[in-house]
Amino acid sequence: PLGAVQAAAPAGFVEYRIGFDAATSDRRAPTEMDLRLPRREREMIERVARAWGLPGLEPASAAEALRARFAADFRYSTFQEMSASGRTPLADFLERTRAGHCEHFATATTLLLRAAGIPARYASGYSVQEWSDIERAWIARERHSHAWTRAWVGGRWIDVDTTPSSWFDLEGGARPAWTFLADAWSWLRFRLDRGYR
């Protein structure tokens, strides 16, 4: 119902097909769990939500306000400074460093929407954006793992991704120059292995 798939397989290639039926997805309405705030973060999250003018906004407007705020005032970073004494990493992200990775953005978005009275869920999976001409297929790599928020807007769950779009290029920029050769070798081994089974 949440549009999530989980699979376990040994390292290497996994062959799969994905289907989506919009008529049957997102049928489960939110519960009280989708509005809960962690006790340790509650005061800070509610303070930030008020300062950003989120309470009272329609769900779609609140989601758009968060996208705009994060895009204008925050940046993507894989390096995290140590949190200031007595502060949580989330508080540091929202109120001091304004830099983080997708988990920071997804956690903050989920909790800020909840503080505004909008049911929200933390989601994680992959943002597959890499096409392989060799395989004629999309590739999901570890660096494509991603987190975002699902918010209850207009009577259905929608994706709200506030991570700056630069994240994909920054993560991909770290790949070694020999990646193409490693991919070709892995693909060849996989095809040969399939032929012998």
Side-chain angles (χ1 to χ4, degrees), residues 147-160:
W148 62 96
T149 298
R150 303 274 289 156
W152 188 254
V153 176
R156 65 188 181 96
W157 292 103
I158 66 161
D159 291 331
V160 180

Side-chain angles (χ1 to χ4, degrees), residues 68-79:
R69 181 66 174 243
F70 283 124
D73 297 338
F74 288 73
R75 65 182 175 81
Y76 183 81
S77 174
T78 55
F79 173 77

Side-chain angles (χ1 to χ4, degrees), residues 64-165:
E64 191 50 47
L66 283 171
R67 278 190 192 106
R69 181 66 174 243
F70 283 124
D73 297 338
F74 288 73
R75 65 182 175 81
Y76 183 81
S77 174
T78 55
F79 173 77
Q80 300 304 305
E81 298 176 21
M82 289 290 292
S83 297
S85 180
R87 295 176 60 89
T88 66
L90 183 60
D92 241 20
F93 167 72
L94 285 170
E95 298 182 312
R96 187 177 70 86
T97 65
R98 296 181 180 242
H101 45 78
C102 61
E103 290 92 345
H104 289 95
F105 287 93
T107 300
T109 300
T110 301
L111 296 178
L112 287 167
L113 287 170
R114 288 179 178 184
I118 300 161
R121 295 175 176 170
Y122 180 97
S124 63
Y126 290 86
S127 177
V128 181
Q129 303 177 32
E130 185 178 340
W131 175 259
S132 169
D133 287 329
I134 294 174
E135 301 160 69
R136 310 251 337 118
W138 294 97
I139 297 176
R141 299 182 189 275
E142 184 177 350
R143 70 175 174 262
H144 298 152
S145 62
H146 192 51
W148 62 96
T149 298
R150 303 274 289 156
W152 188 254
V153 176
R156 65 188 181 96
W157 292 103
I158 66 161
D159 291 331
V160 180
D161 189 353
T162 57
T163 303
S165 59

